[in-house]
PDB file of all heavy atoms in Angstrom:
ATOM      1  N   SER R 125     -28.478  21.965  73.761  1.00  0.00           N
ATOM      2  CA  SER R 125     -27.885  20.745  74.296  1.00  0.00           C
ATOM      3  C   SER R 125     -26.713  21.079  75.231  1.00  0.00           C
ATOM      4  O   SER R 125     -26.651  20.563  76.358  1.00  0.00           O
ATOM      5  CB  SER R 125     -27.399  19.862  73.141  1.00  0.00           C
ATOM      6  OG  SER R 125     -26.730  18.732  73.652  1.00  0.00           O
ATOM      7  N   SER R 126     -25.781  21.918  74.783  1.00  0.00           N
ATOM      8  CA  SER R 126     -24.654  22.282  75.631  1.00  0.00           C
ATOM      9  C   SER R 126     -25.122  23.055  76.871  1.00  0.00           C
ATOM     10  O   SER R 126     -24.584  22.886  77.959  1.00  0.00           O
ATOM     11  CB  SER R 126     -23.592  23.061  74.872  1.00  0.00           C
ATOM     12  OG  SER R 126     -24.091  24.297  74.411  1.00  0.00           O
ATOM     13  N   PHE R 127     -26.148  23.873  76.696  1.00  0.00           N
ATOM     14  CA  PHE R 127     -26.702  24.621  77.819  1.00  0.00           C
ATOM     15  C   PHE R 127     -27.268  23.681  78.883  1.00  0.00           C
ATOM     16  O   PHE R 127     -26.990  23.832  80.063  1.00  0.00           O
ATOM     17  CB  PHE R 127     -27.776  25.589  77.327  1.00  0.00           C
ATOM     18  CG  PHE R 127     -28.390  26.445  78.393  1.00  0.00           C
ATOM     19  CD1 PHE R 127     -27.604  27.206  79.235  1.00  0.00           C
ATOM     20  CD2 PHE R 127     -29.762  26.507  78.539  1.00  0.00           C
ATOM     21  CE1 PHE R 127     -28.181  28.026  80.221  1.00  0.00           C
ATOM     22  CE2 PHE R 127     -30.349  27.318  79.503  1.00  0.00           C
ATOM     23  CZ  PHE R 127     -29.540  28.073  80.345  1.00  0.00           C
ATOM     24  N   LYS R 128     -28.009  22.666  78.459  1.00  0.00           N
ATOM     25  CA  LYS R 128     -28.584  21.706  79.412  1.00  0.00           C
ATOM     26  C   LYS R 128     -27.485  20.920  80.127  1.00  0.00           C
ATOM     27  O   LYS R 128     -27.559  20.706  81.341  1.00  0.00           O
ATOM     28  CB  LYS R 128     -29.540  20.741  78.700  1.00  0.00           C
ATOM     29  CG  LYS R 128     -30.851  21.394  78.320  1.00  0.00           C
ATOM     30  CD  LYS R 128     -31.757  20.416  77.599  1.00  0.00           C
ATOM     31  CE  LYS R 128     -33.080  21.070  77.239  1.00  0.00           C
ATOM     32  NZ  LYS R 128     -33.954  20.146  76.517  1.00  0.00           N
ATOM     33  N   LYS R 129     -26.466  20.499  79.393  1.00  0.00           N
ATOM     34  CA  LYS R 129     -25.333  19.795  80.015  1.00  0.00           C
ATOM     35  C   LYS R 129     -24.589  20.700  80.983  1.00  0.00           C
ATOM     36  O   LYS R 129     -24.144  20.258  82.048  1.00  0.00           O
ATOM     37  CB  LYS R 129     -24.380  19.271  78.943  1.00  0.00           C
ATOM     38  CG  LYS R 129     -24.958  18.139  78.121  1.00  0.00           C
ATOM     39  CD  LYS R 129     -24.025  17.741  77.003  1.00  0.00           C
ATOM     40  CE  LYS R 129     -24.666  16.693  76.107  1.00  0.00           C
ATOM     41  NZ  LYS R 129     -23.832  16.404  74.938  1.00  0.00           N
ATOM     42  N   TRP R 130     -24.463  21.958  80.624  1.00  0.00           N
ATOM     43  CA  TRP R 130     -23.788  22.935  81.490  1.00  0.00           C
ATOM     44  C   TRP R 130     -24.596  23.117  82.779  1.00  0.00           C
ATOM     45  O   TRP R 130     -24.028  23.153  83.884  1.00  0.00           O
ATOM     46  CB  TRP R 130     -23.635  24.256  80.743  1.00  0.00           C
ATOM     47  CG  TRP R 130     -22.907  25.314  81.494  1.00  0.00           C
ATOM     48  CD1 TRP R 130     -21.554  25.463  81.618  1.00  0.00           C
ATOM     49  CD2 TRP R 130     -23.481  26.394  82.231  1.00  0.00           C
ATOM     50  NE1 TRP R 130     -21.268  26.563  82.375  1.00  0.00           N
ATOM     51  CE2 TRP R 130     -22.435  27.156  82.773  1.00  0.00           C
ATOM     52  CE3 TRP R 130     -24.797  26.790  82.493  1.00  0.00           C
ATOM     53  CZ2 TRP R 130     -22.646  28.282  83.557  1.00  0.00           C
ATOM     54  CZ3 TRP R 130     -25.006  27.914  83.264  1.00  0.00           C
ATOM     55  CH2 TRP R 130     -23.947  28.647  83.785  1.00  0.00           C
ATOM     56  N   LEU R 131     -25.921  23.194  82.677  1.00  0.00           N
ATOM     57  CA  LEU R 131     -26.780  23.387  83.850  1.00  0.00           C
ATOM     58  C   LEU R 131     -26.674  22.229  84.839  1.00  0.00           C
ATOM     59  O   LEU R 131     -26.678  22.447  86.049  1.00  0.00           O
ATOM     60  CB  LEU R 131     -28.240  23.563  83.434  1.00  0.00           C
ATOM     61  CG  LEU R 131     -28.607  24.895  82.802  1.00  0.00           C
ATOM     62  CD1 LEU R 131     -30.051  24.847  82.297  1.00  0.00           C
ATOM     63  CD2 LEU R 131     -28.408  26.049  83.766  1.00  0.00           C
ATOM     64  N   VAL R 132     -26.591  20.996  84.308  1.00  0.00           N
ATOM     65  CA  VAL R 132     -26.546  19.816  85.166  1.00  0.00           C
ATOM     66  C   VAL R 132     -25.316  19.841  86.062  1.00  0.00           C
ATOM     67  O   VAL R 132     -25.370  19.428  87.225  1.00  0.00           O
ATOM     68  CB  VAL R 132     -26.559  18.529  84.291  1.00  0.00           C
ATOM     69  CG1 VAL R 132     -26.242  17.299  85.139  1.00  0.00           C
ATOM     70  CG2 VAL R 132     -27.911  18.368  83.621  1.00  0.00           C
TER      71      VAL R 132
END
Side-chain angles (χ1 to χ4, degrees):
S125 176
S126 63
F127 182 53
K128 286 179 180 179
K129 290 175 185 174
W130 183 82
L131 287 174
V132 169

